[in-house]
């Protein structure tokens, strides 16, 4: 986890901004616990994007009226990470992630937004 502290910070920041205060989000907690337990398995940027996509899905974030990724992100994260997704679909996921993150009114306050920009999703 030490080598991916920026990614972990990004995950926690998304939780901070997208989860309502006082909400008990057991599914989000279990999702982050999965990250903690399998940190070595999430070593590619592609897998990190899938992890973040599932996190945003669990937080109930959908840009506009775009529900097209419900089928993908409603699956268990370990099943999602086993999928072989082509480059075209990965770019669509990038666009969806962009829409999710930039739908937040305080996006300019995010400290780790460069994680997505630096790695090509935005």
């Amino acid at each position: 986890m030490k080598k991916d502290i920026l990614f972990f910070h990004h995950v926690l920041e998304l939780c901070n901004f997208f989860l309502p205060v006082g909400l008990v989000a057991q599914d989000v907690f279990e999702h982050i616990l999965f990250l903690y337990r399998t940190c070595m398995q999430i070593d590619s940027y592609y897998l990190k994007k899938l992890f973040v996509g599932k996190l945003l899905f669990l937080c109930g974030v959908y840009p506009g009226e775009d529900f097209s990724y419900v089928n993908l992100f409603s699956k268990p994260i370990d099943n999602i990470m086993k999928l072989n997704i082509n480059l075209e679909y990965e770019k669509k996921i990038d666009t969806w992630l962009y829409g999710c993150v930039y739908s937040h009114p305080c996006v300019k306050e995010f400290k780790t937004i460069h994680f997505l920009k630096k790695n090509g999703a935005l």
Side-chain angles (χ1 to χ4, degrees):
M1 186 61 77
K2 185 177 178 182
K3 71 177 184 171
D4 274 336
I5 195 72
L6 174 61
F7 176 60
F8 189 60
H9 184 196
H10 182 62
V11 167
L12 293 178
E13 182 176 56
L14 291 174
C15 290
N16 181 54
F17 278 98
F18 283 104
L19 288 174
V21 175
L23 176 73
V24 176
Q26 184 66 31
D27 51 352
V28 173
F29 176 77
E30 289 172 11
H31 189 62
I32 294 172
L33 192 58
F34 175 85
L35 175 64
Y36 178 76
R37 288 182 178 154
T38 62
C39 63
M40 293 310 197
Q41 294 177 13
I42 305 176
D43 56 354
S44 74
Y45 184 62
Y46 164 74
L47 294 177
K48 291 175 185 176
K49 287 190 288 188
L50 292 176
F51 184 88
V52 168
K54 174 75 176 188
L55 174 68
L56 292 169
F57 170 79
L58 291 172
C59 291
V61 180
Y62 306 96
E65 296 296 319
D66 188 357
F67 298 103
S68 58
Y69 296 93
V70 170
N71 287 337
L72 172 65
F73 292 122
S74 62
K75 298 176 182 176
I77 188 63
D78 51 339
N79 291 350
I80 295 170
M81 292 182 156
K82 292 176 187 172
L83 295 175
N84 188 8
I85 295 174
N86 65 34
L87 186 59
E88 182 180 330
Y89 194 69
E90 185 177 354
K91 288 183 180 191
K92 289 179 181 180
I93 291 172
D94 291 347
T95 302
W96 187 80
L97 287 172
Y98 175 87
C100 287
V101 171
Y102 278 88
S103 71
H104 197 283
C106 299
V107 70
K108 292 182 180 181
E109 296 177 28
F110 289 20
K111 305 286 187 226
T112 62
I113 196 69
H114 62 282
F115 171 79
L116 290 175
K117 291 180 181 179
K118 180 178 95 172
N119 292 299
L122 305 179

